[in-house]
Amino acid sequence: MAGVLDARDRDGAARKLAAGPLDVLVIGGGITGAGAALDAASRGLRVGLVESRDLAAGTSSRSSKLIHGGLRYLEQGDFKLVKEALRERDLLVSRLAPHLVRPLPFLYPLYKKVVERPYVGAGLVLYDAMEGTRRPVPYHRHLTTRGALRRAPALRPDRLAGAMVYYDAQVDDARYTMTVARTAAAHGAIVLTRASATALLRDGERVAGARVRDEETGREFDVRASAVILCAGVWSDLVHSASGVRAGYQVRMSKGVHLVLAGPAIDATTGMIVRTSKSVLFFIPWGERWIVGTTDTDWSGDRAEPTATAEDVDYILGEANRVLAKPLNRSDVLGIYAGLRPLVAEPPADSRRETAKHPGNGDKPTTKLSREHVVDTPLPGLASIAGGKFTTYRLMAQDVVDAAVAGFPEPVPPSVTGQLPLVGADGLPAVRASARRLAADYGLAVAAVEHLTARYGAAALEVLDIIAADAALGEPLTDGHPYLRAEVAYAVTHEGALHVEDVLARRVRLLIESPDAGTSAAPEVAAIMAPLLGWNRRRRAAEVRDYESFAAASTAALHTPAPLPEPADEALVSA
Ligand SMILES: Cc1cc2nc3c(=O)[nH]c(=O)nc-3n(C[C@H](O)[C@H](O)[C@H](O)COP(=O)(O)OP(=O)(O)OC[C@H]3O[C@@H](n4cnc5c(N)ncnc54)[C@H](O)[C@@H]3O)c2cc1C
């Protein structure tokens, strides 16, 4: 199958980028950059993408992992965003990535007998109506109190006045981002991770590419391109200022923390969304576990590794305990992660340029603080984008590529990504249906084949080929988790993983799923990666040490003691 990111061929990718020239150079390998690279490459352009760290190492591995319209944005009156997002959700679930994006029911408990049901019900009627009638997920439903408790015995029964059930979808955000980058590579994009754009190249006023530093070797080289697309999320302002670009927007960082809980901690067969005094709290099933969050606080510290605090942990547990019959405590928490929302804000008035546009809005400047995205063309040859949602990445990519190629001498075809299934989607039904035969052929349990299909779609066959060549790689990576050792090898040979961190944090998710943050699996991961990447014993040890420090920093908030507030007895939910 085409669309391989082979970490063993990293030097080749760097050479091709340096040889140029490209039509489009994308800076940033989060979902926005990966989406832009796919959009541009599938229009027939020569495309390169550079990412400072690993694909999805920024915000795109740290989201709530929902592909959703966003009920909250509906309440805020952001109808356009909700409508677009619902259409995208349905496209991803049904055509573009059915192997990665799965429908998920959410229970919305009601606590105010008379007023809340019609209010929430009307909102869900609108939510369903915006989606249209050809829908891959069921319509919302009303539940009695008894019906609600049947699906979610975990809820406190007192004051519960019934519930609504509606559908959204969920995704492994890091896996999805990497799969979009693989699909871009399948269409010819050159993808180089651990490579930072340090400055923009200029031909007079015009931006003509970027100076790139290879973070693995320290080597610098120029990548020339007719247009540069900046998709640097919360780093956008840094790239703008390093190159003296006066941008039409600024990014405001808002930190969101999630906890990962053991499955038995919450007795429910559905996701749940509950109101908090500040926003909403999601309870999201995640394999055998739960993800619960999130917070929303301003952040001005380290962009690369935003840290959760003991207060963040207590806030989430406290809010969850307002609605749960059996209170959660810290011993239920297996993992934690923090991410930064790249929200767009207007720059100070004295430096404002009125050129940042939301494409499709004519000439109206739309730089504003919201969940919508902003495309800016501050200089000829440069288009920059920020804001938006994971869910709407495809539209964001289309908008920013349209802006980037607007000045090209030859017309560029319109976006085709709405018709392009991602790597692993083609052939999915047949692979799903063949689980039993494949299990017998490869000497695996059916559950192991189903696990692979749920993570790789039809590309599970490639992982099975690795096991066929070396049966030992069909063994589990670590106890208590479904990951196989072959997935580590595949992460290197097909998914561009260069370091132990890339594997444990983003290809398999032991960083957030395991109580030891995956540290006990790190030596085994390093041992599987070593022969593929030519690591000697010292390098293996260094990789393990680096991962241990990274994991310790990521999970520090869980080891900082702080007393838990008692579950509140007063009104459970404020409208
Ligand atoms: C807590 C939280 C929950 C969320 N939940 C949801 C959700 O459930 N559903 C949803 O739709 N959206 C959600 N979002 C929003 C969504 O996650 C983000 O909008 C999206 O991931 C942003 O992607 P991005 O590519 O713009 O940024 P990023 O993923 O941060 O990517 C930017 C990349 O640029 C790279 N970079 C920076 N500077 C350079 C340089 N000079 N050279 C090379 N590379 C560079 C960085 O390393 C980084 O990888 C959530 C966000 C947060 C924080």
Side-chain angles (χ1 to χ4, degrees):
M1 185 179 291
V4 169
L5 299 176
D6 189 343
R8 297 168 299 181
D9 188 33
R10 187 171 177 280
D11 288 350
R15 264 198 309 276
K16 279 190 216 152
L17 280 181
L22 303 169
D23 295 314
V24 172
L25 173 66
V26 178
I27 300 175
I31 188 59
T32 313
L38 173 57
D39 188 282
S42 58
R43 296 187 198 204
L45 299 173
R46 274 182 229 289
V47 176
L49 179 151
V50 288
E51 159 56 48
S52 285
R53 296 191 292 161
D54 181 27
L55 295 165
T59 307
S60 297
S61 57
R62 301 154 187 264
S63 76
S64 303
K65 314 191 192 312
L66 296 178
I67 299 295
H68 63 162
L71 267 191
R72 199 154 62 89
Y73 312 129
L74 189 63
E75 191 170 32
Q76 291 165 355
D78 211 338
F79 300 119
K80 181 168 178 288
L81 177 68
V82 176
K83 192 168 183 174
E84 277 181 356
L86 286 172
R87 289 212 173 138
E88 286 303 298
R89 182 195 73 186
D90 289 357
L91 186 62
L92 304 188
V93 167
S94 57
R95 288 187 59 198
L96 303 192
H99 54 317
L100 301 176
V101 182
R102 293 182 190 90
L104 182 68
F106 276 96
L107 187 139
Y108 188 127
L110 303 171
Y111 292 98
K112 294 194 172 161
K113 277 210 165 83
V114 186
V115 286
E116 214 182 359
R117 189 180 288 275
Y119 180 72
V120 178
L124 289 172
V125 167
L126 191 58
Y127 202 65
D128 279 346
M130 281 185 164
E131 192 191 345
T133 47
R134 293 184 56 192
R135 40 188 306 123
V137 305
Y139 285 100
H140 77 276
R141 286 180 53 194
H142 288 252
L143 294 182
T144 60
T145 302
R146 195 188 293 177
L149 289 171
R150 228 185 348 257
R151 290 183 183 220
L155 288 174
R156 276 173 75 171
D158 53 320
R159 302 190 212 188
L160 189 64
M164 314 288 293
V165 173
Y166 72 97
Y167 280 77
D168 262 321
Q170 81 176 150
V171 71
D172 177 339
D173 46 7
R175 172 150 295 282
Y176 192 94
T177 302
M178 179 275 300
T179 307
V180 173
R182 280 187 66 178
T183 312
H187 292 275
I190 306 157
V191 177
L192 189 67
T193 58
R194 311 269 170 189
S196 301
T198 53
L200 299 174
L201 305 176
R202 303 278 186 100
D203 278 345
E205 256 293 272
R206 196 175 175 83
V207 171
R211 182 92 182 141
V212 171
R213 182 178 58 235
D214 183 335
E215 302 291 355
E216 296 288 294
T217 62
R219 199 172 70 86
E220 299 216 352
F221 55 94
D222 288 346
V223 180
R224 303 204 73 83
S226 305
V228 170
I229 297 182
L230 180 63
C231 305
V234 293
W235 288 265
S236 303
D237 295 350
L238 293 184
V239 180
H240 285 141
S241 61
S243 299
V245 175
R246 217 168 115 227
Y249 67 86
Q250 283 187 335
V251 171
R252 186 155 148 202
M253 299 187 276
S254 144
K255 186 182 79 169
V257 173
H258 290 86
L259 303 180
V260 183
L261 303 175
I266 299 169
D267 186 6
T269 56
T270 165
M272 295 189 281
I273 175 173
V274 297
R275 281 176 183 275
T276 64
S277 48
K278 294 181 188 158
S279 177
V280 292
L281 192 74
F282 284 110
F283 296 77
I284 304 163
W286 180 254
E288 302 284 297
R289 295 164 187 77
W290 290 92
I291 291 177
V292 182
T294 178
T295 61
D296 197 337
T297 49
D298 258 329
W299 176 259
S300 55
D302 182 15
R303 287 169 168 81
E305 290 306 330
T307 42
T309 61
E311 288 73 33
D312 294 325
V313 178
D314 289 343
Y315 167 80
I316 295 171
L317 292 179
E319 290 293 342
N321 287 344
R322 284 158 54 104
V323 298
L324 295 178
K326 180 171 154 269
L328 301 171
N329 59 55
R330 280 175 165 244
S331 64
D332 295 312
V333 182
L334 302 175
I336 188 166
Y337 62 94
L340 297 175
R341 298 175 187 87
L343 303 181
V344 281
E346 284 194 37
D350 57 349
S351 66
R352 194 176 306 156
R353 288 180 315 97
E354 297 292 309
T355 62
K357 296 194 188 74
H358 187 267
N361 271 357
D363 282 341
K364 189 166 153 258
T366 58
T367 319
K368 59 175 184 169
L369 190 68
S370 91
R371 262 55 173 180
E372 287 189 31
H373 65 272
V374 168
V375 172
D376 190 19
T377 46
L379 289 172
L382 176 64
S384 126
I385 183 164
K389 285 157 58 79
F390 200 101
T391 306
T392 50
Y393 81 94
R394 202 188 60 80
L395 301 175
M396 294 169 66
Q398 182 178 315
D399 287 348
V400 76
V401 173
D402 279 346
V405 304
F408 278 20
E410 298 292 327
V412 172
S415 174
V416 295
T417 54
Q419 303 151 53
L420 279 188
L422 300 188
V423 163
D426 274 344
L428 177 67
V431 177
R432 273 191 183 145
S434 310
R436 278 185 186 286
R437 179 180 54 79
L438 291 169
D441 288 355
Y442 290 89
L444 294 174
V446 176
V449 175
E450 286 170 347
H451 157 82
L452 294 178
T453 311
R455 284 168 50 72
Y456 305 90
L461 297 176
E462 295 173 340
V463 186
L464 291 172
D465 281 347
I466 292 179
I467 295 170
D470 180 354
L473 292 176
E475 298 294 321
L477 177 62
T478 182
D479 286 345
H481 296 270
Y483 303 114
L484 304 181
R485 296 173 74 239
E487 294 182 68
V488 177
Y490 188 74
V492 173
T493 57
H494 289 69
E495 300 180 342
L498 285 169
H499 294 280
V500 167
E501 179 204 314
D502 302 349
V503 172
L504 286 171
R506 289 171 293 274
R507 302 303 183 281
V508 304
R509 308 298 302 259
L510 287 177
L511 173 71
I512 61 171
E513 293 174 355
S514 170
D516 73 354
T519 48
S520 58
E524 179 66 14
V525 170
I528 298 168
M529 296 177 82
L532 295 168
L533 292 170
W535 294 350
N536 59 20
R537 197 192 290 234
R538 190 184 301 170
R539 173 70 191 270
R540 259 167 72 171
E543 283 283 334
V544 173
R545 268 197 314 277
D546 287 352
Y547 182 71
E548 285 167 350
S549 329
F550 170 78
S554 304
T555 55
L558 295 183
H559 311 298
T560 317
L564 253 188
E566 290 298 314
D569 246 345
E570 69 278 12
L572 285 166
V573 169
S574 59

